[in-house]
Amino acid sequence: MTGEWRQELDQKQLEDVRRLLLAVREADGRPEVEPAGPLPGEFDGGEHLVACIEGEVVGYAHVDTTGDSFGHQVAELFVHPAHRNRGYGLKLLQALDERAAVGFRVWAHGDHPAAQKLAVKTGLERKRELLILHVDVDVEGADWPEPILREGVSLRTFVPGQDEDAVVRVNARAFDWHPEQGALTADDVRADEARSWFDADGFFLAEENGEVIGFHWTKVHEPTPGRFGGERVGEVYVVGVDPAAQGGGLGRALTLAGLRYLASRGLRQIILYVEGDNAPALAVYTKLGFARHETDVQYGR
């Protein structure tokens, strides 16, 4: 297996990686890569390894060298479905182990059994579980009421070019404990505004005395083969509340506003991601009708 680590992909390599990721998406339901345009944001920057056998691309690895909020470099690796069970995944993981900084983490989306075996073989341990919760909009319990806001708090939608810094300030305070979300920048928000899924009408801000104190950013995923019956799916993308403004049901109100909006768009399924050890959030979402659907795992040493 041949391949060299590089900081940027040339146009041919970019298209080679896209074709591989699209094949993986067809087989596994993820990653969410589009047939054209930029690769998903998680593959921006960092270092890339395109693995080939006799000129044919069989695998791809990426490591985010910037690292998460706790300093862990975060990696992902993929083997083309037509070339699995030939040891290429192990070789890619060994290449990551040699390249990435000590303490790196690697994602296993869907907690795939093959990834579990690979982790055991290489001495990696489960370090983090990210749960994907799911609710059917047309079932009992998903008839969500109108949000109730405490006195002095109002709700409006996001204005591009105006609200990026305010959202980032709230986000930083709300997610100072989170490995990825706490590092959100205004440039990150602006980059997402350029993506096809961005919808300012589904981005809700809570204000008090003219200051943004919370937000709910929703997202809509286009149909993905093998997931959710091939339907479009709504997502409770991020709900953030300034710790100084918590209480009085603001988080619930923001969540309800987004859920009702997604339902109004005719979406029959809604998902969200939540840390597996976040018991308070799990309790809130369970009461809103959500149940565990999938698990993403980060492995590390």
Side-chain angles (χ1 to χ4, degrees), residues 29-32 42 107-110 128-134 175 177-178 180-181 216-217 219 221 224 227-228 233-239 270-276 278 281-282 285 290-291 293-297:
R30 283 188 280 176
E32 294 181 11
E42 57 265 33
W107 278 112
H109 297 294
R128 176 185 173 197
E129 290 189 347
L130 185 62
L131 308 183
I132 297 92
L133 306 187
H134 172 275
F175 294 103
W177 54 272
H178 196 278
E180 295 97 18
Q181 189 61 36
H216 180 182
W217 190 351
K219 184 176 182 178
H221 301 261
T224 302
R227 297 190 81 199
F228 310 113
V233 177
E235 181 184 346
V236 177
Y237 186 40
V238 190
V239 178
I270 298 175
I271 61 170
L272 61 85
Y273 290 76
V274 62
E275 298 295 327
N278 192 342
L282 285 167
Y285 292 131
F290 286 86
H293 184 73
E294 295 177 357
T295 304
D296 288 347
V297 178

Side-chain angles (χ1 to χ4, degrees), residues 208-229:
E208 187 173 35
N209 298 323
E211 294 289 331
V212 175
I213 59 173
F215 65 93
H216 180 182
W217 190 351
T218 69
K219 184 176 182 178
V220 176
H221 301 261
E222 294 304 313
T224 302
R227 297 190 81 199
F228 310 113

